[in-house]
Amino acid sequence: PIVVQMRGAVARERVEYALRTIIERHEVIRTTIAMVDGEPRQFVQTDFPFSLPLTNAREEECAELVRRFIQPFDLSRAPLLRASLVQLAPERFLLMVDMHHIVSDGVSGNILIREFLDLYNGGTLPPVALQYKDYSEWQNSPAQKDAVARQAEFWVNEFPGDIPQLELPCDFVRPAVQSFAGDTRR
C-alpha cells in the first residue's frame, strides 16, 4: 500500500478516471484466481466494480484511516487494486492505493505511477502491446524452456565441480572452521 499526499485543487473524478483506466488497461489487475477441479485457474474479468470514495477527515484521524484501509485481498474478486481519497483541508488530500503483490512489483509500480500522472493530467496512453499473460506464455513455451535448458547446460559445463570460495582482497581471511559467534556492543 502507498499513501500519497496531494496538494492543490485535486479533482476526485480525474483521480478515479485515471485509476479506472489503468485497471481497464492492464489485464493482470483484473485477473482473478479460482479453484477449478482442485487446481488454481486465472480468469481475466471484463466487468469489475471500482469507485473512488472520498472521505473528509482531520489530521489526527489519518493513521486510523490508513490502518482500516489496508485489508487482505480476495483473489477471486477483481480488481486487485483498491483506492480511497481523503480530504484533510480544501487543498490537501491523501490518496491511498493498495494493490496485491501478485499483480505488481517495483518496476510495474513505477510504470503505473507514470501512467496515473499522464492520465490525471489529461494525457493519453498508447495501446498496450503485450499483457502479462503474453510474457507468461512466452516464458513457458517449449522454445523458451529449451533455451533456458541450453543455457543451464552451458554454465554447468563451463564451471564443473565445486564452487570455489570467494576470497575478496579487502575481506578478512576466512577461518579454517566457520563460526557464527558474535558479540553485543552498546
Side-chain angles (χ1 to χ4, degrees):
I2 62 169
V3 178
V4 178
Q5 187 173 161
M6 302 173 78
R7 293 187 183 273
V10 174
R12 187 197 71 77
E13 299 79 20
R14 286 183 20 213
V15 174
E16 183 173 32
Y17 164 78
L19 291 171
R20 177 176 289 282
T21 302
I22 287 169
I23 294 167
E24 290 170 352
R25 180 176 169 75
H26 298 286
E27 289 180 348
V28 71
I29 301 173
R30 296 180 281 114
T31 297
T32 58
I33 299 174
M35 297 301 282
V36 177
D37 297 328
E39 294 287 325
R41 301 274 188 224
Q42 295 181 348
F43 299 93
V44 177
Q45 306 300 320
T46 53
D47 294 323
F48 56 91
F50 179 78
S51 64
L52 180 69
L54 174 63
T55 306
N56 290 305
R58 295 184 315 273
E59 186 77 33
E60 57 271 12
E61 298 172 302
C62 290
E64 178 61 20
L65 284 172
V66 171
R67 190 191 64 71
R68 284 196 326 240
F69 175 74
I70 300 169
Q71 296 182 14
F73 281 88
D74 178 354
L75 296 180
S76 68
R77 298 182 59 202
L80 296 179
L81 178 149
R82 69 174 66 96
S84 184
L85 192 60
V86 178
Q87 185 168 9
L88 301 172
E91 293 196 348
R92 187 159 172 256
F93 296 80
L94 295 179
L95 175 60
M96 301 184 295
V97 179
D98 195 6
M99 187 165 24
H100 195 284
H101 68 273
I102 202 168
V103 299
S104 70
D105 59 14
V107 173
S108 58
N110 289 332
I111 292 169
L112 296 176
I113 290 169
R114 279 196 318 270
E115 289 184 355
F116 173 82
L117 292 172
D118 285 347
L119 291 166
Y120 181 82
N121 290 316
T124 58
L125 301 173
V128 176
L130 297 171
Q131 295 287 343
Y132 180 77
K133 69 180 179 189
D134 300 317
Y135 168 74
S136 180
E137 286 179 20
W138 166 79
Q139 188 177 35
N140 292 311
S141 69
Q144 184 61 14
K145 285 184 178 181
D146 289 344
V148 169
R150 284 192 309 276
Q151 292 171 7
E153 182 181 355
F154 169 82
W155 288 110
V156 166
N157 292 332
E158 188 72 16
F159 298 104
D162 291 334
I163 298 172
Q165 284 195 348
L166 182 60
E167 295 287 350
L168 298 175
C170 59
D171 205 2
F172 295 103
V173 177
R174 243 183 240 278
V177 177
Q178 189 173 11
S179 167
F180 295 100
D183 192 10
T184 301
R185 296 184 186 251
R186 296 188 193 279

